Amino acid sequence: GHDVEEEEEEEELILSEEDAQAREQVVQHLEGLKVADLRTMLKDMGLLTRGRKQELVDRVAAEYVASPADKREELLAVIAGGSNEGDASNTESMEAKPILIPRLLKVVELKALLAERGLEAKGLKADLVEALQAAVIAEEQAFEDRSAEGEVFKKDDHDWLWRPVTKELGGVACDAVVVGFLPPTAEDPYELFRIRFLDGEVEDLELEELKACAEAFEELHA
């Protein structure tokens, strides 16, 4: 067991106190970014873009620590600009596509939205909700969502599709709907789910985050 201990000591020596602090600052910033932004950043760095959020954060941080001082400054500018740049270059923002959660609407609203679509607005509230929900799903399935890498999100045959969720954005609870998923692959064994907020903005989440958002929705609208 002696060799292992020596190796561990060497590991720690490689990262000086200064580097460790620098890495910690970078990690804190990266953790505030969306998965899509992290993937875009890794792609720009020529690094692997698949994996869970924590793996992506660690990958960028490792590249940062391994870089010489001048390269670090460049990387820091990219990292600092990541959240803003990510939103600006986000293809979805260009054509933000609002979405509805029929079960949260009043009967009057349901009837108006069905009429707008040329659909029959008769029956009990549950019937109206069902009819509008079917229309919303059909509209969503006709719309193509792509990831930062250009992968197309699948929009059928998944239990999580079309479920309403609530995610906090800047301290405000915002409702959204699960509109697509990327299945696991050999390189990336984790599923990624796309949620669309009511205003059309999107975010990509892993299953654990998604479960927490689904619970938040049920609590908020109980």
Side-chain angles (χ1 to χ4, degrees):
H2 187 64
D3 294 347
V4 177
E5 277 175 29
E6 269 186 4
E7 267 177 37
E8 278 182 9
E9 275 178 37
E10 276 175 27
E11 267 296 307
E12 283 173 21
L13 289 176
I14 292 168
L15 213 57
S16 70
E17 198 173 320
E18 201 179 320
D19 281 352
Q21 281 181 337
R23 183 186 185 281
E24 205 169 304
Q25 282 182 319
V26 168
V27 166
Q28 275 182 336
H29 193 91
L30 292 169
E31 282 173 347
L33 298 182
K34 295 177 183 173
V35 170
D37 295 335
L38 287 166
R39 292 190 161 171
T40 305
M41 203 178 282
L42 284 161
K43 194 178 177 187
D44 292 344
M45 291 178 175
L47 298 171
L48 194 66
T49 60
R50 305 306 302 247
R52 302 191 74 147
K53 184 172 182 178
Q54 195 52 54
E55 291 170 33
L56 306 183
V57 166
D58 290 343
R59 204 171 295 146
V60 176
E63 178 74 1
Y64 175 78
V65 171
S67 301
D70 56 340
K71 178 92 189 293
R72 279 191 186 185
E73 284 192 11
E74 276 176 44
L75 282 176
L76 206 53
V78 172
I79 292 166
S83 45
N84 315 331
E85 194 189 324
D87 287 344
S89 67
N90 200 336
T91 47
E92 285 75 28
S93 307
M94 286 164 27
E95 44 177 332
K97 179 185 180 306
I99 194 163
L100 303 162
I101 301 178
R103 66 183 251 199
L104 299 182
L105 302 174
K106 299 186 175 81
V107 169
V108 181
E109 295 169 316
L110 290 164
K111 286 186 171 174
L113 288 161
L114 284 164
E116 249 175 52
R117 288 164 171 75
L119 298 169
E120 201 175 332
K122 282 185 181 161
L124 302 170
K125 182 176 181 180
D127 302 321
L128 302 177
V129 166
E130 197 178 318
L132 187 57
Q133 181 69 22
V136 167
I137 291 172
E139 287 163 18
E140 260 308 322
Q141 286 177 325
F143 181 83
E144 192 174 83
D145 271 285
R146 286 178 177 269
S147 71
E149 284 78 45
E151 298 154 302
V152 177
F153 280 85
K154 296 190 178 303
K155 299 197 171 209
D156 46 29
D157 297 331
H158 201 299
D159 290 347
W160 276 96
L161 279 173
W162 321 122
R163 285 180 65 169
V165 295
T166 299
K167 184 159 198 302
E168 235 181 63
L169 288 182
V172 182
C174 299
D175 290 332
V177 178
V178 182
V179 296
F181 70 99
L182 290 177
T185 61
E187 307 94 74
D188 192 359
Y190 307 104
E191 281 180 297
L192 196 64
F193 296 88
R194 171 150 294 184
I195 62 171
R196 193 179 315 289
F197 292 96
L198 300 185
D199 65 0
E201 285 296 323
V202 297
E203 193 167 330
D204 301 336
L205 306 176
E206 287 163 4
L207 186 57
E208 290 311 308
E209 286 181 286
L210 194 66
K211 285 179 178 169
C213 293
E215 281 172 22
F217 179 89
E218 295 307 334
E219 275 172 30
L220 190 67
H221 301 285

